């Protein structure tokens, strides 16, 4: 049976075994290198001002001719025609002069009006024709521009389709210290780094995590048919060949250093006595020196019974009676007891070695998942001593070395191991769970990488190691250059409606009565002797009496309804500009501690020191499953050609052709959000000393470019 591989994931997994040694992958979005279309979009030309001005002028002239000149001329001509008609009615003949005069008066006004109307129509046609030509030309240019832009974008998408987005992050330098991370993250890092290293050279892994985080690496190496030597301690220590290639002298040094790994220099006397005892014992054992025979010899020195067959009867008698005097054994009894107690849990180490054809191409020595006990703690120091001896005594090419879980190792043992690796060119990788005690003392010996550090103290130490930068930040406004500009417009609109209703009624009565009397005497006579005229005399007397009575009744009803709608709009615009800068020097973290506490599981922050000073911080993803994605390269990301910068859009008028600006040089891609430092503010433009607001900030009405165009439009679009 063979597993079904949908999409070639198994074949892609084989790409993990490709050089060069890598810690993971760095992501770079391929669309960052999209070259923008270099041509600016076409802009519609503005209609020439003289056309609109001509339409406005001819409109005014035609309106004046139609409203003044023509009506006045027609009125005068009509008066003259009426006068001629009246003259013809009186005399019977039409006045030819009046008619001619009326025609003379009417002709100039009609001619001027016709000419003004014709000029208005001509200006309107020219305005409409120019507008149609501009719109049509702009639409043609826009269609052509969009077609070229679509072709450019299609070519760019085709070019960027196969551009890799994930590139390998190569292992820096000879030594790398990794701090933090979970066990799953360590497993991913060992798989990614170990498989790529095996493609170049052998690899030796010391898995001291007690959770066998190297299991995935071992399984992949076995699936790739590589020689794998996996030793699981202490559960399978009998079949381990850990100390098989060590001489008695090297074995004594390894045991003594393991016993006194963390003791101060004041215990040098005990170390010297332990070294002397073990040297004498190993010399008595001859060439067959194992931990089991050493433990049996120590029990013989202490006089304890031993039923084992590790020693012969002659060796037991020689060691018990002739190796040391009775007084020396009495004084060194504490040392003998301590050495025997240390070696006793490891007596069966290497007693039944498995059949091995030399060292494996991948050698993995791991502590199993049993609870922490004395045996595992003793094995931890002994394994480091064995590795140091193996690297020091090696004459051929040595494998790369990875120590996972180096927190509990003594500082001087790690320093000795680091010196041996550096002297012989062995790549050394140390993985620490915490950043404290031994790990804090070891930081800085090479390149450093940080994974998730959950403890705040560890994160603070890591941030301090990464360092702080002096940055200039804006703090307050201290200088003011500029002025104040305000525009206010108030507009009020209102309407009203009133209704009144009234009713009145009047009633009256009048009475009149009286008496009239009249009497008179009339005398009439002729002239006397013809000298006097006639004379008449009359006398009248009357009497009248009357009275009047009037009654008036008025009833009125008045109803008044009034409505008034009023709306007032007030708009004020003010501009107050200032240009001020105040910066202060701030000492702050490059990477904040909280960022290190919340790193993703497979994220790794690589910190390298530059040769000329400073440091480089690179975010890395160490998940081995990334190799199964598309657009992944097993080498570093290539440098694509720098993209071109898009041309700035021209103003209202089409920009004149000229040399294109230089393409903008793109720097290194920015780090992901979890590792990106705070970017400094962009440099500010120099402050202008000219009066008025800064460029691009004037919001009020501006004076026209051409004074002949008249005042600028008011708010609301009315002129």
């Amino acid at each position: 049976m063979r597993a079904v591989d949908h999409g070639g994931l198994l074949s892609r997994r084989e790409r993990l075994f490709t050089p060069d040694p890598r810690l993971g992958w760095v992501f770079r979005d391929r669309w960052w290198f999209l070259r923008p279309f270099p041509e600016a979009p076409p802009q519609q030309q503005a209609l020439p001002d003289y056309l609109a001005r001509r339409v406005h002028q001819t409109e005014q002239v035609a309106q004046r001719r139609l409203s003044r000149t023509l009506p006045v001329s027609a009125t005068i001509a009509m008066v003259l025609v009426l006068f001629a008609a009246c003259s013809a009615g009186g005399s019977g003949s039409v006045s030819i002069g009046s008619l001619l005069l009326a025609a003379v008066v009417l002709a100039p006004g009609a001619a001027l009006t016709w000419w003004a109307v014709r000029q208005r129509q001509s200006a309107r046609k020219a305005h409409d024709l120019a507008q149609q030509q501009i719109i049509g030309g702009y639409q043609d240019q826009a269609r052509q521009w969009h077609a070229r832009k679509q072709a450019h974008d299609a070519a760019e998408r085709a070019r960027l389709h196969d551009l890799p987005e994930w590139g390998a992050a190569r292992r820096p330098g000879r030594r790398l210290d990794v701090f933090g991370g979970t066990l799953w993250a360590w497993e991913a890092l060992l798989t990614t780094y170990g498989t790529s290293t095996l493609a170049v050279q052998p690899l030796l892994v010391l898995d001291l995590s007690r959770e066998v985080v190297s299991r995935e690496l071992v399984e992949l190496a076995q699936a790739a048919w590589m020689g794998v030597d996996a030793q699981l301690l202490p559960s399978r220590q009998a079949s381990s060949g850990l100390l098989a290639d060590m001489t008695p002298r090297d074995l004594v040094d390894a045991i003594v250093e393991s016993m006194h790994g963390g003791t101060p220099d004041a215990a040098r006397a005990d170390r010297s006595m332990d070294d002397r005892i073990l040297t004498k014992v190993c010399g008595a054992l001859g060439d067959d020196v194992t931990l089991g025979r050493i433990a049996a010899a120590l029990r013989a020195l202490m006089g304890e019974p031993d039923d084992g067959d590790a020693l012969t009867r002659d060796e037991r008698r020689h060691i018990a009676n002739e190796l040391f005097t009775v007084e020396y054994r009495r004084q060194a009894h504490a040392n003998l007891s301590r050495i025997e107690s240390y070696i006793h849990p490891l007596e069966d180490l290497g007693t039944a070695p498995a059949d091995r054809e030399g060292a494996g191409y991948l050698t993995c020595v791991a502590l199993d998942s049993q609870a922490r006990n004395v045996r595992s703690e003793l094995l931890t120091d002994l394994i480091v001593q064995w590795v140091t001896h193996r690297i020091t005594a090696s004459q051929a090419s040595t494998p790369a070395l990875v120590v996972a879980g180096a927190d509990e190792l003594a500082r001087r043992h790690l320093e000795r191991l680091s010196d041996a690796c550096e002297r012989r060119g062995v790549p050394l990788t140390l993985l620490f769970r915490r950043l404290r005690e031994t790990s804090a003392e070891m930081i800085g010996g090479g390149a450093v990488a940080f994974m998730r550090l959950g403890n705040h103290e560890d994160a603070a130490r890591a941030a301090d190691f990464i360092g702080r930068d002096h940055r200039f930040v804006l703090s307050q406004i201290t200088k003011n250059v500029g002025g104040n500009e305000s525009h206010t417009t108030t507009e009020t609109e209102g309407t009203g409606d009133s209704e009144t209703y009234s009713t009145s009624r009047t009633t009256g009565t009048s009475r009149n009565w009286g008496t009239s009397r009249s009497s008179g005497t009339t005398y009439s006579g002729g002239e006397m002797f013809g000298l006097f005229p006639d004379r008449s005399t009359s006398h009248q007397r009357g009497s009248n009496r009357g009275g009047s009575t009037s009654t008036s009744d008025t009833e009125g009803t008045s109803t008044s309804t009034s409505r008034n709608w009023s709306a007032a709009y007030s708009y004020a615009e003010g501009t107050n500009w200032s240009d001020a800068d105040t910066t202060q020097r701030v000492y702050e973290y490059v990477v904040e501690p909280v960022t290190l506490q919340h790193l993703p599981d497979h994220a790794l922050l690589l910190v390298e020191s530059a040769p000329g000073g400073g440091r480089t911080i690179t975010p890395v993803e160490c998940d081995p499953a990334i190799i199964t994605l598309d657009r992944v390269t097993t080498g570093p990301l290539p440098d694509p050609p720098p993209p071109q910068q898009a041309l700035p859009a021209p103003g209202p008028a089409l920009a004149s052709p000229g040399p294109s600006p230089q393409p903008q040089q793109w720097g290194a891609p920015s780090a992901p959000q979890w590792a990106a430092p705070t970017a400094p503010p962009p440099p500010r433009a120099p402050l202008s000393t000219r009066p008025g607001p800064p460029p691009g900030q004037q919001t009020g009405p501006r004076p026209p470019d051409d004074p002949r165009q008249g005042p600028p439009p008011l708010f609301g679009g009315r002129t």
Side-chain angles (χ1 to χ4, degrees), residues 492-707:
T492 302
E493 296 180 0
T495 180
D497 186 9
S498 179
E499 179 182 357
T500 302
Y501 175 75
S502 178
T503 303
S504 177
R505 185 177 62 181
T506 302
T507 303
T509 302
S510 177
R511 295 177 182 179
N512 190 12
W513 68 91
T515 301
S516 176
R517 295 177 182 179
S518 176
S519 62
T521 301
T522 302
Y523 297 96
S524 176
E527 59 180 2
M528 184 178 289
F529 304 105
L531 298 176
F532 299 99
D534 294 338
R535 173 182 299 181
S536 177
T537 303
S538 177
H539 178 72
Q540 185 177 2
R541 189 178 70 175
S543 174
N544 189 8
R545 186 179 61 178
S548 177
T549 301
S550 178
T551 301
S552 178
D553 184 6
T554 301
E555 180 181 354
T557 300
S558 178
T559 302
S560 178
T561 303
S562 177
R563 290 190 183 92
N564 186 15
W565 293 274
S566 178
Y569 305 94
S570 178
Y571 177 74
E573 179 176 356
T575 302
N576 188 1
W577 60 91
S578 62
D579 195 327
D581 270 335
T582 294
T583 58
Q584 63 182 3
R585 209 164 184 237
V586 177
Y587 197 56
E588 60 183 12
Y589 286 114
V590 176
V591 178
E592 293 294 333
V594 67
T595 303
L596 298 172
Q597 290 182 266
H598 297 87
L599 290 177
D601 289 335
H602 297 145
L604 182 143
L605 196 61
L606 181 61
V607 182
E608 301 177 77
S609 298
R615 59 192 170 275
T616 303
I617 303 176
T618 306
V620 180
E621 291 286 340
C622 59
D623 189 358
I626 293 179
I627 198 64
T628 62
L629 302 178
D630 296 329
R631 303 182 184 91
V632 179
T633 176
T634 56
L637 289 174
D639 295 331
Q644 298 179 356
Q645 184 180 8
L647 296 177
L654 289 178
S656 60
S660 60
Q662 296 295 329
Q664 181 182 2
Q665 299 295 331
W666 284 39
S670 59
Q673 185 177 3
W674 55 264
T678 305
R684 296 177 61 88
L687 181 64
S688 174
T689 56
R690 298 179 57 187
Q697 298 184 8
Q698 184 175 358
T699 58
R702 300 181 179 179
D705 297 334
D706 188 359

Side-chain angles (χ1 to χ4, degrees), residues 202-411:
L203 178 64
L204 174 59
V205 179
L206 302 184
D207 187 357
L208 308 180
S209 64
R210 294 180 175 84
E211 291 297 335
V212 196
V213 295
S214 57
R215 179 183 291 108
E216 185 178 26
L217 174 61
V218 171
E219 293 175 354
L220 287 177
Q222 291 175 346
W225 299 97
M226 292 185 176
V228 179
D229 180 12
Q231 304 179 27
L232 190 61
L233 304 177
S235 59
R236 301 179 185 176
Q237 65 182 12
S239 60
S240 174
L242 189 64
L243 307 177
D245 56 347
M246 297 185 68
T247 63
R249 179 68 262 176
D250 295 332
L251 182 59
V252 170
D253 293 338
I255 294 175
V256 173
E257 290 298 324
S258 301
M259 292 174 57
H260 300 277
T263 57
D265 294 339
R268 187 172 300 173
D270 292 336
R271 294 174 56 193
S272 300
M273 182 173 289
D274 294 343
D275 182 86
R276 182 174 184 272
I277 294 173
L278 287 174
T279 303
K280 295 286 288 183
V281 169
C282 291
L285 295 177
D287 295 334
D288 187 10
V289 179
T290 61
L291 292 181
R293 286 171 57 82
I294 293 175
L298 292 175
R299 285 192 291 270
L301 283 174
M302 292 187 295
E304 293 187 1
D306 189 358
D307 297 334
D309 55 353
L311 298 177
T312 63
R313 182 175 301 179
D314 295 337
E315 289 175 340
R316 187 183 304 276
R317 183 176 59 253
H318 173 70
I319 293 173
N321 300 326
E322 301 176 4
L323 195 60
F324 296 106
T325 63
V326 176
E327 181 63 23
Y328 186 85
R329 283 184 293 175
R330 185 183 62 82
Q331 295 180 1
H333 188 273
N335 297 77
L336 294 173
S337 177
R338 182 175 63 250
I339 299 173
E340 194 276 335
S341 300
Y342 176 82
I343 298 178
H344 175 70
L346 309 177
E347 287 188 35
D348 59 341
L349 181 63
T351 55
D355 295 335
R356 292 185 176 87
E357 299 178 358
Y361 197 74
L362 170 62
T363 303
C364 181
V365 181
L367 298 180
D368 55 19
S369 303
Q370 295 180 0
R372 183 185 300 271
N373 50 36
V374 176
R375 181 180 301 180
S376 61
E377 293 179 0
L378 298 177
L379 277 173
T380 300
D381 293 327
L382 190 59
I383 290 172
V384 175
Q385 294 301 318
W386 168 73
V387 171
T388 305
H389 161 75
R390 182 173 178 179
I391 293 176
T392 305
S394 177
Q395 301 296 331
S397 60
T398 54
L401 176 60
V402 177
V403 181
D407 301 76
E408 299 179 2
L409 299 180
R411 173 185 174 183

